[in-house]
Amino acid sequence: MKFRTWFFSFIILLLIWPFSGHADAAAARPIEIVLDGRILSSDAPPYIKPKNNVTMVPLRVISEGLGAQVDWLASAKSVTIAKDSNIIVLRVGSTSAQVNHAAVKLDVSAEIQSGRTMVPLRFVGEQLGLQVDWNSATRTIALSSQGTSIPPITGPTTPVIPPTEQPSTPPPAVQQPGGGGAASELRGVWVSSVLNLDWPTKASYGNAEQQKQEYIKLLDEIQAMGLNAVFVQVRPTADALYPSQLVPWSVYLTGTAGKDPGYDPLAFLIEETHRRGMQFHAWFNPFRASMNADTSKLPSSHVVHQHPDWIVKFADKLYINPGIPEARQHIIDAIMEVVNGYDIDGVHLDDYFYPSGETASSKFNDDATMKRYNAKQLNKGDWRRDNINQFVRDLGQNIRAVKPAVSYGISPFGVWRNKASDITGSDTKAGITAYDSTYADVRTWIRNEWIDYVTPQLYWSLTRPEVRYDILTDWWAQEVRGTRVKLYIGHAPYKIGTPEVGWHSADEIIHQLEYNERIPEVKGSIFFSAKDLRKNPLGLVPLLKSYFGS
């Protein structure tokens, strides 16, 4: 009798085993979201709430993938989603939503998981006029905006609405002509920590809660302008806005270099940014070591004390010598510490490679370094450019090896070379150039596709004859054409209202954005800097809100 019971149990197990294996494999397969045949990227994996059979997706899918405008109100923990004539308001934890001012019941409320706001996809999709179809066999959600008939859905995916995020930065799409560019274009702002220019303020030194509230307010304001990405300076002077094993705490957090601020600022910044569906790019100043030559207030763990042989003094500032291979690798290691340890959307470098401004009597003293490390027997200019080229290439290889989805880009000086110096350069008469003054051979980076995007700092007006904005935009567009390198433009709202040619009106920025719309290679804009936007120079803010439709 025991044998018969065991035998029948064994037969049943053999019969169900293959099916349960397939079921497990299917359940393990990640959920894929497709809109009109195009696979949508997701910064966090969608998942199913089994009790309600509802698919939850990160808010970024709504803002990036579906092109909706998303505004997050931190005080109320509510998010407003707007697209065409539809307006949806969701609150974290609430089982009802407001759709065009009418209350609608939700099967599942919006929730926050691992710093991401997750929303029920079907609800949001259908309220935005999409048809939603779930294929349980392939674990695929098909969204259709074509108005075609789709069979009833029998599987997961339901209410979708965003509780804590806003328009995320896009994998830039081609802009549409007319009003405000494409909904998916990158609209970023630089947030400088050096000298406490943008965040945090000196008044917040040592006060973690005040620093958090300052950043929340900053995000509130720039998000309301229609921006969807921040580029926050996390390494201002060979230091860190995060706990590091390689570099000390930044002086701009507490007023004392090397002092622990009592929390992890970078972790907070990323979480608060992602909560709104915005992108967070970690901005690194690679080679600047100190804003002045006084090293007495720098901690013993700072590179100026650890490796004084790497340091060059120039114009009363201290720099890490780019000609020393070990120094370059140290900087790469410091950047990779963030890439490996944090959920950032991008690594961003500014134009601080070799300092500009050398004269016959004031030189960047690297002759001994060149004599030691110039195996290729290059002249001084080519040797310096080769050092930077190696750094740019090697950093990109390191990033792609561990996190290929992390965007990697650089913001060089806006003129590569003048036509007078190189027939292939721009028709400009700039006093300094990226190639000859900072030794940044950006053309080589683009042609080798060592970087994912380039953001030239085009800080001149459309009417400045020596360096006209439109001429330079056209030149950079030609440089990236035919490559996979995206082009974002760096804009200068800080010049509005200054005596410089063309900046007598805030309309200058809008005219530049409108010019960008004509150039398909331009995939977005980044503004310098947050403090200047927030000052609303000559009424720029309402103009931006109108232009971006926010």
Side-chain angles (χ1 to χ4, degrees):
M1 184 64 182
K2 289 182 180 178
F3 172 78
R4 184 180 302 171
T5 303
W6 174 88
F7 178 75
F8 281 115
S9 300
F10 178 70
I11 293 299
I12 291 171
L13 178 62
L14 288 178
L15 289 173
I16 66 171
W17 194 358
F19 297 100
S20 63
H22 288 307
D24 291 342
R29 185 182 304 154
I31 297 172
E32 189 173 74
I33 305 170
V34 179
L35 173 64
D36 294 334
R38 175 173 61 93
I39 297 175
L40 302 183
S41 60
S42 176
D43 59 327
Y47 56 85
I48 297 171
K49 302 282 284 187
K51 182 178 179 181
N52 307 89
N53 206 29
V54 170
T55 301
M56 306 294 287
V57 299
L59 184 57
R60 183 169 298 176
V61 170
I62 307 303
S63 59
E64 263 183 31
L66 306 187
Q69 175 76 24
V70 182
D71 291 301
W72 166 247
L73 183 60
S75 60
K77 289 193 175 181
S78 70
V79 64
T80 301
I81 303 171
K83 185 169 174 31
D84 301 326
S85 59
N86 297 307
I87 299 176
I88 308 168
V89 181
L90 296 172
R91 291 179 186 272
V92 173
S94 175
T95 55
S96 66
Q98 292 286 321
V99 179
N100 298 326
H101 308 294
V104 178
K105 190 177 184 302
L106 293 173
D107 292 339
V108 174
S109 67
E111 60 188 26
I112 297 174
Q113 292 288 342
S114 303
R116 295 292 196 278
T117 300
M118 307 297 290
V119 299
L121 178 59
R122 179 182 299 269
F123 179 79
V124 172
E126 290 182 346
Q127 298 302 328
L128 295 180
L130 298 173
Q131 291 179 312
V132 185
D133 185 27
W134 164 255
N135 186 318
S136 57
T138 61
R139 290 174 65 81
T140 299
I141 301 168
L143 306 175
S144 173
S145 61
Q146 305 303 315
T148 54
S149 173
I150 292 182
I153 296 151
T154 57
T157 8
T158 62
V160 168
I161 302 201
T164 20
E165 303 174 22
Q166 149 154 3
S168 155
T169 78
V174 177
Q175 297 174 334
Q176 306 301 320
S184 62
E185 69 180 349
L186 184 136
R187 305 167 181 173
V189 62
W190 280 291
V191 180
S192 301
S193 58
V194 69
L195 302 178
N196 300 103
L197 293 177
D198 291 308
W199 182 90
T201 65
K202 289 184 179 180
S204 73
Y205 280 173
N207 189 329
E209 187 57 34
Q210 182 176 341
Q211 290 180 357
K212 292 178 180 180
Q213 291 305 314
E214 286 179 356
Y215 187 70
I216 288 172
K217 185 177 180 182
L218 183 153
L219 284 185
D220 284 345
E221 292 180 15
I222 65 170
Q223 189 173 33
M225 298 176 202
L227 305 189
N228 56 25
V230 290
F231 292 73
V232 180
Q233 191 175 38
V234 301
R235 175 192 167 92
T237 49
D239 48 12
L241 267 63
Y242 51 91
S244 170
Q245 298 299 311
L246 300 174
V247 295
W249 284 106
S250 175
V251 64
Y252 303 117
L253 290 169
T254 63
T256 302
K259 184 177 180 180
D260 188 337
Y263 74 117
D264 185 341
L266 181 55
F268 169 77
L269 299 176
I270 294 171
E271 180 179 2
E272 190 61 36
T273 304
H274 283 166
R275 194 188 305 281
R276 301 157 179 266
M278 301 175 74
Q279 279 194 8
F280 185 95
H281 294 253
W283 164 19
F284 299 84
N285 184 296
F287 293 99
R288 184 172 61 199
S290 176
M291 290 295 289
N292 59 64
D294 180 8
T295 63
S296 63
K297 295 181 179 179
L298 296 176
S300 60
S301 58
H302 197 280
V303 66
V304 300
H305 297 304
Q306 291 287 314
H307 299 281
D309 52 317
W310 292 358
I311 304 303
V312 178
K313 179 182 176 181
F314 178 78
D316 203 38
K317 291 184 176 65
L318 301 180
Y319 297 87
I320 299 173
N321 190 339
I324 301 175
E326 294 84 2
R328 296 196 300 266
Q329 186 58 50
H330 166 77
I331 297 168
I332 290 173
D333 291 344
I335 294 172
M336 290 307 298
E337 189 178 37
V338 173
V339 173
N340 286 310
Y342 292 88
D343 184 19
I344 59 174
D345 296 292
V347 167
H348 180 79
L349 305 183
D350 54 30
D351 58 343
Y352 275 79
F353 299 109
Y354 284 90
S356 61
E358 283 188 285
T359 65
S361 60
S362 178
K363 294 286 188 181
F364 185 85
N365 187 9
D366 59 354
D367 289 344
T369 307
M370 179 180 172
K371 184 176 180 180
R372 180 177 180 183
Y373 293 107
N374 190 11
K376 299 177 184 177
Q377 296 299 301
L378 302 172
N379 63 41
K380 174 65 76 72
D382 289 341
W383 174 75
R384 286 181 174 180
R385 279 182 285 273
D386 186 59
N387 293 330
I388 301 304
N389 284 347
Q390 291 183 61
F391 173 77
V392 169
R393 179 199 64 201
D394 294 350
L395 175 57
Q397 289 174 348
N398 275 261
I399 294 170
R400 287 168 181 151
V402 297
K403 288 189 179 179
V406 168
S407 180
Y408 168 46
I410 299 177
S411 178
F413 185 75
V415 177
W416 176 71
R417 297 195 89 186
N418 296 311
K419 183 176 283 188
S421 301
D422 187 322
I423 192 62
T424 65
S426 54
D427 189 11
T428 51
K429 297 177 181 178
I432 64 174
T433 65
Y435 184 91
D436 298 292
S437 305
T438 64
Y439 300 92
D441 187 6
V442 189
R443 172 176 282 173
T444 293
W445 311 343
I446 293 171
R447 290 184 175 178
N448 286 286
E449 297 182 344
W450 291 340
I451 55 178
D452 297 312
Y453 69 87
V454 63
T455 306
Q457 299 170 22
L458 302 191
Y459 293 169
W460 305 283
S461 71
L462 284 154
T463 52
R464 175 77 182 269
E466 307 90 346
V467 276
R468 253 177 44 199
Y469 176 88
D470 54 336
I471 290 175
L472 283 164
T473 301
D474 292 348
W475 188 89
W476 285 102
Q478 180 180 332
E479 285 298 299
V480 303
R481 193 167 296 142
T483 74
R484 290 178 294 182
V485 178
K486 301 179 183 72
L487 174 61
Y488 307 140
I489 301 297
H491 296 271
Y494 73 91
K495 286 190 173 181
I496 294 173
T498 66
E500 185 175 317
V501 174
W503 293 101
H504 60 280
S505 168
D507 286 328
E508 174 64 30
I509 291 291
I510 304 304
H511 294 157
Q512 292 181 2
L513 295 174
E514 290 171 343
Y515 187 82
N516 292 353
E517 292 178 32
R518 311 178 197 175
I519 314 297
E521 286 79 14
V522 177
K523 305 298 185 183
S525 298
I526 309 177
F527 300 94
F528 190 84
S529 68
K531 72 179 188 314
D532 302 289
L533 287 180
R534 299 173 75 191
K535 288 176 183 176
N536 188 27
L538 301 185
L540 175 62
V541 169
L543 295 179
L544 286 176
K545 288 183 176 181
S546 176
Y547 179 81
F548 289 133
S550 63

